Amino acid sequence: MRWLTFRADRVVEARPTGQPVLIENPPDAARMVADMLTSDYPLYATVVLPVPLEAAQRLVPPGSGVHESVGPEATRVTLGGNDLDELATRLLSLAVPLAVVAPDELRDVLRTRLRAQFDALAWEDLARRQGGEHAE
């Protein structure tokens, strides 16, 4: 059996049919909604955050990603984006260490962005030591 979601807030009228319904093995409704909300992107990333599930859900709200606890202090999060740069920006904005599970190319984009930032900081430090001007 295939389960579908629908917008209950758009139901105009409901009438009882008098027919009983037996639901066997119902799906996890919250997971279905989260999957539906995050299923329309051309690219997906899966990362592991070193935080408990509740903390990960504060960092990446359930409507923005699918969460799975992988232990008391780690959560796997899958989120969608339009391209690798957008995903890198979102992940860096979390301001927590993370491990990229997929795609591999995202690791390269994150490394490039972080190297550029470290290089900029190193240049600024050198300029300060030499008494030069620095960006503020």
Side-chain angles (χ1 to χ4, degrees):
M1 168 178 263
R2 183 168 183 244
W3 290 89
L4 302 173
T5 60
F6 72 98
R7 297 278 310 257
D9 62 327
R10 299 209 175 151
V11 174
V12 177
E13 180 183 356
R15 288 178 264 147
T17 64
Q19 299 295 316
V21 176
L22 176 62
I23 300 175
E24 295 180 14
N25 299 319
D28 178 345
R31 178 68 181 229
M32 282 184 63
V33 171
D35 288 344
M36 183 266 309
L37 289 173
T38 59
S39 65
D40 196 24
Y41 291 99
L43 186 63
Y44 292 89
T46 300
V47 298
V48 175
L49 305 178
V51 297
L53 179 64
E54 297 77 24
Q57 290 173 329
R58 285 191 298 275
L59 291 167
V60 180
S64 298
V66 178
H67 304 74
E68 178 187 357
S69 178
V70 289
E73 296 298 320
T75 305
R76 181 179 295 117
V77 180
T78 299
L79 60 159
N82 293 309
D83 55 44
L84 290 169
D85 195 54
E86 177 187 334
L87 287 167
T89 299
R90 288 181 63 196
L91 292 170
L92 289 172
S93 74
L94 300 178
V96 297
L98 57 90
V100 175
V101 176
D104 291 336
E105 298 83 8
L106 179 58
R107 240 180 252 108
D108 296 333
V109 173
L110 288 168
R111 281 189 189 110
T112 299
R113 301 274 289 292
L114 291 170
R115 270 192 207 106
Q117 186 62 54
F118 286 132
D119 290 348
L121 291 171
W123 178 86
E124 183 178 297
D125 291 343
L126 178 62
R128 282 185 181 165
R129 283 195 300 273
Q130 294 177 349
E133 293 184 20
H134 62 277
E136 298 203 19

